[in-house]
């Protein structure tokens, strides 16, 4: 019964200790808790020994693992070893265990225990690395002390047989763990224990220290020269912070959990009493600090691993000792360093050069050189920044593919990036609290740069990597693009304003400081300001609507800017996290990119400065229109760019006036005839409510009124209005010309209402034509389904005759085809007609089968017309 | 009870959501999906190489509701999701056998 009381006391004491921790965040909680457990074991063993004489087999109670290190976490198992001198009899161990542990179980403590002799201990350590490391942390609690020290001695002897081998195993295991827990999911919701920079990393170097120099206390890392005087306190602070977070996590979840889920993050931030500042919410500040601490721990671990573990490991792989030609740098034990600090003072460029060399040679910096960069950072001034050699060295680091010791990461960790670009400090540890961004803004910027290399590498297994690398190969200059990727989120340092806009402004300031050409600065700031444009457009606009694509082309202006923006968009989302980088998003953005690129490279907008002229022209038309209507802006906004681009200002004004007239009337169309007395030609303008067949009917009406069509253009405005211009021969009788035009208008009205049979009327007009024109050439019809993203393009080459345009367009109408844009040209009886068409019923381009059927049908129609003509004559 | 599944263009999600909210339908499941119908994917050409988007990105909206509200909801979704361009999507309506609200255990119409 006595032991039961002890257990209940322990439970109460733990409760009190926990309360103190939760109220004041007391730092020695874990040590105090370990001591409470010690006290229980000491007292309960005393009690057992006092009340029994049965034990002839000496034994000791030994704390292992975290309990051994006196770092017991609130809900972690109590890791206990019952060490016996001789193999215990069957019920001997059982009896002791039962008396000591059962009361603890009753009070819901969780205990992991084993009963072993010294030789079974060594055997277990041999077979299992986990047992080995937990014994590395062993600590005597009570019982036969000489037995424990005999064990410690044997264990030490076992280690000293091949310490290097153990260290290698431990490092290998830690690398494996990093691979497993280092993926992005754990960055969003970090694992405090197993994640990168988690407590396990600290345990790892502690074990290495134990093996290598029999570490006794943490300060030994400093005494042994692994940590500098300034690093040691930061190391301890980081450990304490992470431990505190883990304690809270245990209390919060009431169990042994290490993963910091989203809802825990909010609660722990408030339990820690973190206050938000500089525009960050409390939880963002908290996560910022946690990332900083964990990253520091990770750096320390990598450093110590590199120093202690690396040479041997690489020795096995037989890597040649690499050399560097750069004066003032040297490679030793496969680590890069400065020859001495004087070299830096003599040539400050080494401060950036060392990162370039590290990246190109794939050799990490040694810890001493990282310290030196940190200490000599003050040498980076505006003169340093304007030095072309330094700029080039930095730009080189932007092209290094992702590796574990990437120079940009090292530059961030040593503070070099902030020395080069003071604005970078603002975003280095800025966390955005959502399930979307997995890195701090600073780290994300670096990942984005590295993602560019991942996109174009064929090793990543990305579906479209050949597209990406083809686009990348056409980007010039690459360094301009990479600056934009690197600085795209620099605006997140400021609060309030849209970060794209403030980022573009900040980037301008930074780049000026580096003395970058104005032309390049403009491109970079354009890219930064619009780095979300493609994603937004692809997901929020209809990319199957030509307007969207044209607007995108107008915005991005040139093919080269579009290509840069495209890769920036992909690199940005890839570096943001798995929720941003999905095939779903990628496929939308890529479609938008390819469609827009085609407009910029092949369409009428591909001419040099096309976009500039387009905007200028639209402005001119708007101001002319303002003199006659209030709705000038709306009317111009309704005109598609190709229309504005291809017609003259005066033609567009005629159309606009017709449009205003049409809106006021209830007619189906309005028309205007422009007379040119000298040439005997007439230009006829139409503005009509868009209906399939209008173009065809108009063509037919000209024919029956004895006017030949020499040229014509048709366009659709955005608000279902069809505009067209026909150039026709003047009517035969020019004296009563206005009467003829009145008749033409009435004929068209009747034709649209199906009141006259245009088909036979046209037929009678062309009779005898071919008889007179025996000179014949081959017909040629081509249907292009690839050049436009929205329309099938039909090209017809044939011999002209009266009514041809009517017959052709009528055939298209019968096929259920809508003509969006037509270009009719005649050269001495040879006709080239181009139609941009879409399917009326299904929308979009014609199917492949329909294209072929239509092609054959057009050819048939062309020869049929001729045959009929021959027969009848 | 009916279940409506609407496959729509991604950029129409907010329009459809708002339109449904306006007639009092507030619960829905939205997912990013890919597929093809008559639109049959499409291809783009870049430097002579074809980039085929065989499965077109779409959004699927799922709504469960009382049977007498299904007609109205279908109409509302159709109006909101229509662009008149190719690939506007489809709406599927099916019978729903059983609904259970996990937290309370309420069933069928009470759980909608």
């Amino acid at each position: 019964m006595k032991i039961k009381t002890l257990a209940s006391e322990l439970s109460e004491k733990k409760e009190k200790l926990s309360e103190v921790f939760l109220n004041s965040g007391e730092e020695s909680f874990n040590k105090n808790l370990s001591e409470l457990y010690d006290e229980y074991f000491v007292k309960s063993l005393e009690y057992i020994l006092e009340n029994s004489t049965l034990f002839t087999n000496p034994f000791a109670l030994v704390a292992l693992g975290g309990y051994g290190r006196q770092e017991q976490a609130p809900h972690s198992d109590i890791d206990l070893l019952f060490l016996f001198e001789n193999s215990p009899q069957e019920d001997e161990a059982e009896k002791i265990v039962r008396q000591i542990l059962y009361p603890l179980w009753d009070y819901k403590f969780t205990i992991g225990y084993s009963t072993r002799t010294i030789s079974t201990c060594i055997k277990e350590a041999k077979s299992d690395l986990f047992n080995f490391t937990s014994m590395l942390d062993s600590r005597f609690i009570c019982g036969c002390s000489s037995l424990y020290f005999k064990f410690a001695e044997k264990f030490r002897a076992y280690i000293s047989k091949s310490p290097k081998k153990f260290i290698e195993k431990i490092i290998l295991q830690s690398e494996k763990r990093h691979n497993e827990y280092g993926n992005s999911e754990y960055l969003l919701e970090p694992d405090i224990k197993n994640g990168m920079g988690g407590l396990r990393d600290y345990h790892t170097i502690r074990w290495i220290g134990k093996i290598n120099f029999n570490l006794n206390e943490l300060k030994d890392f400093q005494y042994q020269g692994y940590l500098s005087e300034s690093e040691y306190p930061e190391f301890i602070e980081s450990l304490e912070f992470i431990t505190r977070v883990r304690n809270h996590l245990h209390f919060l979840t009431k169990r042994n959990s290490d993963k910091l889920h989203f809802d825990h993050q909010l609660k722990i931030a408030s339990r820690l009493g973190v206050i938000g500042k500089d525009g960050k919410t409390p939880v963002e500040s908290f996560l910022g600090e946690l990332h900083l601490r964990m990253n520091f721990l990770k750096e320390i671990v990598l450093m110590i691993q590199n120093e202690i573990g690396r040479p041997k490991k690489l020795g096995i792989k037989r890597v040649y000792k690499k050399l560097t030609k750069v004066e003032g740098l040297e490679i030793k034990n496969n680590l890069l360093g400065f020859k001495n600090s004087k070299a830096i003072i003599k040539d400050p460029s080494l401060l950036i050069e060392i990162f370039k060399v590290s990246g190109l040679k794939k050799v990490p910096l040694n810890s001493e050189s990282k310290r030196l960069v940190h200490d000599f950072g003050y040498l980076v001034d505006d003169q340093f920044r304007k030095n072309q050699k330094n700029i080039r060295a930095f730009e080189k680091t932007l092209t290094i593919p992702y590796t574990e010791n990437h120079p940009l990461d090292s530059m961030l960790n040593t503070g070099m990036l902030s020395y080069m670009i003071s604005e970078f400090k603002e975003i280095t540890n800025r966390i955005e609290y959502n399930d979307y961004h997995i890195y701090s803004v600073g780290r994300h910027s670096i990942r984005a740069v590295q993602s560019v290399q991942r996109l174009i590498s064929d090793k990543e297994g990305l579906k479209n990597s050949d597209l990406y690398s083809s686009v990348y190969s056409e980007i010039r200059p690459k360094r301009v693009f990479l600056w934009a990727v690197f600085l795209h989120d620099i605006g997140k340092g400021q609060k309030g304003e849209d970060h794209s806009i403030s980022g573009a402004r900040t980037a301008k300031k930074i780049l000026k400081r580096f003395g970058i050409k104005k032309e390049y600065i403009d491109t970079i700031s354009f890219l930064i300001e619009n780095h979300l444009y493609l994603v937004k457009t692809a997901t929020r606009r209809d990319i199957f609507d030509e307007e969207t694509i044209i607007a995108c082309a107008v915005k991005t202006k040139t093919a080269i800017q579009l290509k840069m923006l495209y890769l920036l968009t992909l690199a940005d989302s890839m570096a943001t996290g798995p929720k941003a980088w999905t095939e779903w998003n990628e496929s939308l953005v890529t479609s938008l990119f390819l469609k827009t690129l085609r407009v910029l490279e092949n369409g009428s907008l591909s001419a040099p400065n096309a976009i500039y002229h387009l905007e200028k022209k639209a402005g001119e038309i708007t101001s002319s229109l303002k003199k006659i209507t209030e709705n000038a802006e709306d009317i111009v906004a309704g005109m598609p760019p190709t229309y504005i681009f291809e017609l003259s200002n005066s033609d567009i004004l005629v159309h606009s006036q017709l449009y205003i007239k049409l809106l006021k009337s209830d007619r189906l169309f309005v028309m205007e005839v422009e007379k040119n007395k000298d040439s005997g030609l007439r230009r006829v303008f139409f503005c009509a409510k868009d209906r399939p067949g209008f173009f065809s009917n108009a063509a037919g009406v000209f024919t029956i009124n004895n006017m030949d069509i020499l040229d014509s253009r048709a366009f659709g405005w955005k608000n279902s209005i069809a505009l067209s211009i026909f150039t026709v021969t003047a009517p035969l009788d020019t004296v009563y010309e206005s009467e003829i035009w009145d008749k033409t208008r009435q004929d068209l009205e009747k034709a649209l209402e199906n009141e006259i049979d245009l088909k036979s009327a046209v037929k009678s007009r062309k009779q005898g034509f071919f008889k007179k024109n025996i000179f014949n050439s081959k017909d040629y019809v081509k249907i292009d389904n690839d050049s436009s993203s929205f329309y099938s393009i039909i090209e017809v080459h044939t011999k002209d005759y009266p009514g041809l345009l009517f017959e052709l367009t009528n055939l298209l109408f019968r096929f259920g085809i809508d003509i969006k844009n037509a270009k009719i040209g005649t050269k001495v009886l040879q006709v080239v007609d181009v139609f941009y068409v879409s399917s009326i019923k299904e929308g979009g381009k014609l199917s492949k089968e329909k294209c072929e059927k239509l092609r054959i049908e057009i050819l048939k129609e062309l020869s049929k017309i001729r045959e009929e003509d021959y027969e009848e004559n | 009870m009916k279940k409506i599944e609407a496959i729509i263009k991604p950029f129409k999600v907010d329009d459809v959501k708002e339109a449904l909210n306006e007639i009092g339908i507030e619960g829905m499941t939205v997912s990013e999906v890919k597929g093809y119908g008559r639109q049959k994917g499409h291809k783009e050409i870049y430097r002579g190489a074809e980039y085929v988007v065989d499965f077109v990105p779409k959004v699927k909206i799922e709504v469960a509701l009382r049977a007498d509200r299904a007609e109205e909801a279908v109409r509302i979704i159709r109006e909101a999701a229509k662009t008149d361009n190719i690939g506007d999507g489809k709406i599927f309506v099916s019978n729903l056998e059983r609904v259970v609200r996990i937290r309370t255990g309420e069933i069928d119409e009470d759980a909608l």
Side-chain angles (χ1 to χ4, degrees):
Chain A
M1 278 308 102
K2 178 72 198 306
I3 299 183
K4 186 129 194 178
T5 327
L6 285 173
S8 121
E9 274 174 28
L10 172 64
S11 178
E12 275 167 34
K13 281 181 188 165
K14 185 179 169 187
E15 199 69 28
K16 266 187 207 149
L17 198 64
S18 306
E19 256 171 53
V20 173
F21 172 80
L22 288 173
N23 290 331
S24 69
E26 194 206 9
E27 268 149 29
S28 43
F29 170 83
N30 305 66
K31 185 159 188 276
N32 292 345
L33 183 62
S34 309
E35 279 168 0
L36 276 188
Y37 291 160
D38 288 356
E39 189 189 353
Y40 169 84
F41 292 121
V42 171
K43 284 192 177 162
S44 58
L45 186 65
E46 260 173 27
Y47 179 82
I48 292 170
L49 293 176
E50 272 167 25
N51 293 286
S52 168
T53 48
L54 289 170
F55 305 108
T56 50
N57 186 2
F59 69 92
L61 263 61
V62 180
L64 299 178
Y67 179 34
R69 292 189 302 269
Q70 295 196 295
E71 292 166 358
Q72 188 67 33
H75 288 284
S76 289
D77 288 7
I78 304 168
D79 209 349
L80 201 62
L81 166 68
F82 290 86
L83 183 67
F84 286 89
E85 169 128 31
N86 307 303
S87 289
Q89 299 295 314
E90 224 170 81
D91 59 339
E92 190 181 19
E94 175 71 33
K95 230 183 240 165
I96 299 166
V97 168
R98 196 193 319 150
Q99 290 195 62
I100 294 183
L101 296 188
Y102 277 25
L104 287 181
W105 276 320
D106 289 343
Y107 281 92
K108 308 260 191 263
F109 288 94
T110 50
I111 302 137
Y113 78 97
S114 52
T115 54
R116 292 172 192 151
T117 63
I118 293 177
S119 64
T120 50
C121 277
I122 303 290
K123 219 162 140 193
E124 295 285 337
K126 260 185 206 166
S127 68
D128 187 312
L129 192 66
F130 179 78
N131 287 334
F132 173 79
T133 53
S134 83
M135 281 180 222
L136 265 180
D137 290 323
S138 72
R139 180 173 57 86
F140 173 71
I141 307 172
C142 57
C144 180
S145 60
S146 61
L147 180 64
Y148 172 75
F149 291 111
K150 213 162 123 194
F151 156 77
E153 218 171 88
K154 279 259 167 79
F155 192 67
R156 190 78 225 157
Y158 168 63
I159 295 171
S160 53
K161 268 192 213 158
S162 52
K164 290 256 150 97
K165 198 184 83 196
F166 291 119
I167 290 177
E168 246 171 57
K169 272 193 186 168
I170 288 172
I171 290 180
L172 217 63
Q173 188 201 39
S174 131
E175 280 172 356
K176 213 171 117 193
R177 179 170 47 81
H178 279 174
N179 283 338
E180 197 176 327
Y181 287 89
N183 73 32
S184 43
E185 176 201 348
Y186 290 94
L187 289 162
L188 225 45
E189 301 186 312
D191 190 303
I192 299 294
K193 187 175 172 185
N194 297 302
M196 289 264 203
L199 290 167
R200 201 43 113 200
D201 275 348
Y202 146 66
H203 302 156
T204 302
I205 52 168
R206 196 186 154 113
W207 293 329
I208 294 175
K210 273 252 172 190
I211 297 169
N212 211 36
F213 50 85
N214 205 4
L215 171 131
N216 204 15
E217 49 170 343
L218 292 180
K219 194 99 191 181
D220 287 348
F221 280 120
Q222 189 188 331
Y223 296 148
Q224 295 284 338
Y226 290 105
L227 294 177
S228 75
E229 210 180 309
S230 63
E231 279 161 352
Y232 177 73
E234 200 179 341
F235 173 62
I236 297 297
E237 272 170 36
S238 297
L239 258 188
E240 279 170 356
F241 182 81
I242 298 168
T243 306
R244 201 150 59 232
V245 172
R246 184 176 184 225
N247 288 348
H248 277 295
L249 184 59
H250 277 199
F251 283 124
L252 204 63
T253 58
K254 297 194 175 66
R255 59 185 179 84
N256 183 8
S257 49
D258 301 313
K259 198 164 178 207
L260 200 55
H261 289 287
F262 279 118
D263 49 340
H264 304 147
Q265 295 171 4
L266 280 171
K267 285 177 188 150
I268 290 179
S270 95
R271 283 196 180 186
L272 287 173
V274 182
I275 30 172
K277 51 181 175 187
D278 305 332
K280 291 183 245 181
T281 64
V283 70
E284 285 170 345
S285 293
F286 159 62
L287 289 174
E289 177 163 8
L290 184 67
H291 275 260
L292 185 72
R293 300 290 191 192
M294 287 179 80
N295 196 53
F296 178 79
L297 207 57
K298 188 195 98 188
E299 279 298 305
I300 295 286
V301 172
L302 282 180
M303 209 160 75
I304 292 179
Q305 272 186 14
N306 280 340
E307 303 260 319
I308 297 180
R310 218 177 146 85
K312 170 76 180 163
K313 214 183 116 202
L314 286 165
I316 295 168
K317 285 193 198 155
R318 301 233 175 278
V319 170
Y320 292 105
K321 191 180 157 191
K322 294 177 187 175
L323 295 169
T324 170
K325 283 182 203 147
V326 179
E327 186 78 29
L329 300 182
E330 61 182 2
I331 296 175
K332 258 194 208 162
N333 289 335
N334 254 302
L335 293 171
L336 179 65
F338 299 103
K339 277 212 173 99
N340 49 53
S341 50
K342 276 183 210 141
I344 305 175
I345 297 172
K346 211 176 119 203
D347 179 12
S349 287
L350 287 179
L351 286 172
I352 183 78
E353 199 68 18
I354 193 169
F355 293 101
K356 182 186 107 184
V357 173
S358 159
L360 291 177
K361 298 239 168 202
K362 296 197 179 74
V363 181
L365 269 66
N366 64 25
S367 46
E368 184 58 25
S369 63
K370 286 183 188 170
R371 278 171 212 137
L372 286 172
V373 170
H374 187 85
D375 294 346
F376 283 93
Y378 68 88
L379 291 172
V380 179
D381 53 14
D382 274 353
Q383 199 194 336
F384 180 97
R385 291 186 193 100
K386 282 221 163 71
N387 184 335
Q388 282 301 313
K389 191 182 158 208
N390 297 341
I391 298 174
R392 295 281 175 245
F394 173 67
E395 286 169 347
K396 194 81 216 167
T397 63
L398 297 176
T399 64
I400 308 282
Y402 178 76
T403 61
E404 191 166 351
N405 292 294
H406 196 278
L408 284 174
D409 283 303
S410 312
M411 285 174 77
L412 181 71
N413 296 331
T414 54
M416 187 59 189
L417 279 183
S418 304
Y419 291 132
M420 295 268 293
I421 301 164
S422 58
E423 290 83 352
F424 209 80
K425 210 182 285 167
E426 297 298 317
I427 59 167
T428 297
N429 286 299
R430 183 165 287 261
I431 301 288
E432 290 163 278
Y433 185 69
N434 52 40
D435 61 356
Y436 206 68
H437 292 88
I438 59 172
Y439 297 105
S440 68
V441 179
R443 193 69 61 184
H444 163 74
S445 304
I446 291 175
R447 291 286 171 272
V449 173
Q450 294 164 343
S451 295
V452 173
Q453 304 301 323
R454 289 181 61 194
L455 284 168
I456 60 171
S457 150
D458 50 3
K459 290 180 196 118
E460 292 283 333
L462 297 173
K463 197 177 143 209
N464 284 335
S465 64
D466 50 344
L467 170 66
Y468 309 146
S469 51
S470 161
V471 172
Y472 185 70
S473 71
E474 289 166 22
I475 285 181
R476 234 157 250 124
K478 302 216 172 3
R479 47 195 208 90
V480 167
F481 165 64
L482 291 169
W483 269 108
V485 178
F486 180 64
L487 293 177
H488 76 275
D489 267 350
I490 195 76
K492 286 197 170 165
Q494 287 119 306
K495 50 186 167 173
E497 211 178 346
D498 179 341
H499 81 275
S500 304
I501 294 167
S502 62
R505 205 175 45 231
T506 308
K508 271 188 189 166
K509 229 165 52 195
I510 294 169
L511 295 163
K512 249 192 200 152
R513 221 179 288 144
F514 281 96
I516 308 262
K517 255 204 259 176
K518 167 141 192 333
E519 177 198 345
Y520 293 161
I521 294 183
D522 288 345
T523 304
I524 296 167
S525 65
F526 166 82
L527 292 171
I528 294 173
E529 188 170 333
N530 293 296
H531 75 269
L532 296 173
Y533 177 77
L534 289 184
V535 173
K536 281 191 183 158
T537 305
T539 52
R540 298 180 198 169
R541 296 277 177 277
D542 190 354
I543 58 169
F544 287 92
D545 185 343
E546 193 182 17
E547 254 183 68
T548 307
I549 304 302
I550 302 281
C552 185
V554 169
K555 182 91 181 177
T556 47
K557 292 193 174 70
T558 64
I560 193 92
Q561 290 205 135
L562 175 67
K563 286 174 195 165
M564 291 188 182
L565 203 54
Y566 171 59
L567 288 187
L568 168 59
T569 304
L570 296 185
D572 182 20
S573 59
M574 194 174 192
T576 300
K579 292 215 172 150
W581 174 255
T582 63
E583 213 188 296
W584 193 85
N585 275 329
E586 192 272 347
S587 126
L588 283 175
V589 171
T590 297
S591 290
L592 173 64
F593 164 71
L594 291 172
K595 283 177 202 291
T596 308
L597 186 66
R598 186 136 66 190
V599 169
L600 284 172
E601 286 190 337
N602 306 338
S604 48
L605 297 178
S606 63
N609 294 326
I611 307 285
Y612 167 75
H613 288 304
L614 185 69
E615 283 171 354
K616 193 170 150 238
K617 220 170 151 187
E620 287 164 5
I621 297 164
T622 311
S623 49
S624 310
L625 271 179
K626 272 190 178 156
K627 290 170 198 151
I628 51 170
T629 172
E630 290 170 1
N631 302 327
E633 270 114 355
D634 292 342
I635 294 176
V636 176
M639 301 176 186
T642 42
Y643 171 80
I644 298 178
F645 203 76
E646 290 179 27
L647 291 191
S648 70
N649 286 14
S650 55
D651 285 352
I652 293 176
L653 280 176
V654 174
H655 267 158
S656 305
Q657 279 160 337
L658 285 178
Y659 172 65
I660 295 166
K661 213 161 130 192
L662 180 75
L663 288 190
K664 284 182 191 150
S665 76
D666 54 356
R667 292 200 193 144
L668 288 172
F669 68 93
V670 288
M671 65 187 272
E672 167 100 14
V673 182
E674 189 188 89
K675 290 174 195 167
N676 184 332
K677 290 213 167 74
D678 300 333
S679 67
L681 296 178
R682 301 288 176 266
R683 296 179 78 219
V684 187
F685 294 75
F686 287 104
C687 177
K689 287 172 184 146
D690 195 12
R691 51 155 66 189
F694 179 84
F695 189 71
S696 174
N697 281 311
V701 167
F702 283 121
T703 305
I704 60 171
N705 283 288
N706 298 316
M707 289 178 268
D708 289 337
I709 301 163
L710 299 177
D711 184 276
S712 106
R713 301 295 328 257
F715 296 93
W717 278 8
K718 291 169 191 174
N719 34 19
S720 288
I721 296 292
L723 287 307
S724 48
I725 303 177
F726 289 81
T727 305
V728 297
T729 53
L732 296 174
D733 184 356
T734 47
V735 180
Y736 296 99
E737 186 167 346
S738 59
E739 279 83 357
I740 295 174
W741 289 119
D742 278 344
K743 181 180 172 290
T744 309
R745 184 171 51 77
Q746 287 159 11
D747 282 349
L748 184 53
E749 274 165 7
K750 283 183 203 155
L752 289 171
E753 304 287 355
N754 282 324
E755 284 166 16
I756 46 173
D757 180 6
L758 263 184
K759 207 167 160 48
S760 40
V762 167
K763 207 168 160 187
S764 64
R765 252 285 295 156
K766 67 164 187 263
Q767 272 177 10
F769 180 82
F770 288 102
K771 194 84 177 176
K772 287 179 270 170
N773 297 278
I774 37 169
F775 178 73
N776 214 342
S777 66
K778 268 238 157 95
D779 299 328
Y780 170 72
V781 177
K782 184 182 152 197
I783 302 183
D784 174 2
N785 235 0
D786 292 332
S787 295
S788 161
S789 303
F790 306 97
Y791 306 116
S792 300
I793 304 166
I794 305 175
E795 239 177 78
V796 181
H797 299 238
T798 186
K799 201 146 181 104
D800 197 18
Y801 60 85
L804 169 70
L805 189 58
F806 168 73
E807 301 277 7
L808 270 180
T809 50
N810 195 264
L811 174 75
L812 295 181
F813 178 57
R814 291 201 310 271
F815 251 75
I817 287 169
D818 191 19
I819 301 170
K820 285 286 173 198
N821 200 332
K823 203 174 185 172
I824 308 304
T826 317
K827 261 188 198 164
V828 202
L829 292 180
Q830 184 64 31
V831 168
V832 181
D833 292 350
V834 182
F835 305 97
Y836 283 65
V837 304
S838 59
S839 160
I840 295 174
K841 205 166 130 212
E842 282 129 33
K845 291 196 266 190
L846 312 181
S847 70
K848 216 175 146 189
E849 299 78 36
K850 199 162 181 180
C851 282
E852 190 47 31
K853 215 173 137 196
L854 180 65
R855 200 182 67 85
I856 293 166
E857 206 60 36
I858 293 174
L859 283 172
K860 238 198 246 165
E861 182 82 10
L862 289 174
S863 59
K864 198 176 89 192
I865 292 164
R866 255 173 242 151
E867 274 160 28
E868 280 172 4
D869 200 40
Y870 285 126
E871 277 163 24
E872 284 164 21
N873 293 281
Chain B
M1 294 174 298
K2 298 275 183 194
K3 181 169 136 176
I4 299 179
E5 283 169 275
I7 312 288
I8 60 170
K9 287 189 169 178
F11 77 101
K12 280 291 188 183
V13 154
D14 288 334
D15 292 349
V16 172
K17 197 182 89 191
E18 266 166 41
L20 286 174
N21 283 349
E22 263 168 36
I23 59 159
I25 295 171
E26 283 173 347
M28 66 187 70
T29 307
V30 176
S31 36
E32 292 175 355
V33 297
K34 299 176 93 179
Y36 69 86
R38 201 154 57 176
Q39 192 183 349
K40 285 244 178 66
H42 62 281
K43 71 175 180 204
E44 303 285 351
I45 296 175
Y46 182 72
R47 305 289 173 261
E50 280 184 12
Y51 293 92
V52 181
V53 183
D54 36 6
F55 296 103
V56 185
K58 298 276 167 193
V59 165
K60 179 164 83 171
I61 293 186
E62 288 165 280
V63 186
L65 32 60
R66 280 201 332 258
D68 59 346
R69 304 216 54 192
E71 270 317 302
E72 186 190 10
V74 168
R75 183 175 55 78
I76 290 286
I77 294 174
R78 182 166 175 264
E79 278 167 13
K82 200 160 144 22
T83 69
D84 283 334
N85 282 324
I86 192 163
D88 275 351
K90 271 203 181 82
I91 302 171
F92 306 99
V93 183
S94 49
N95 286 322
L96 199 54
E97 257 179 35
R98 199 151 175 76
V99 180
V100 180
R101 175 170 280 128
I102 292 175
R103 178 170 52 84
T104 57
E106 287 165 291
I107 54 166
D108 295 345
E109 293 198 353
D110 292 334
L112 282 175

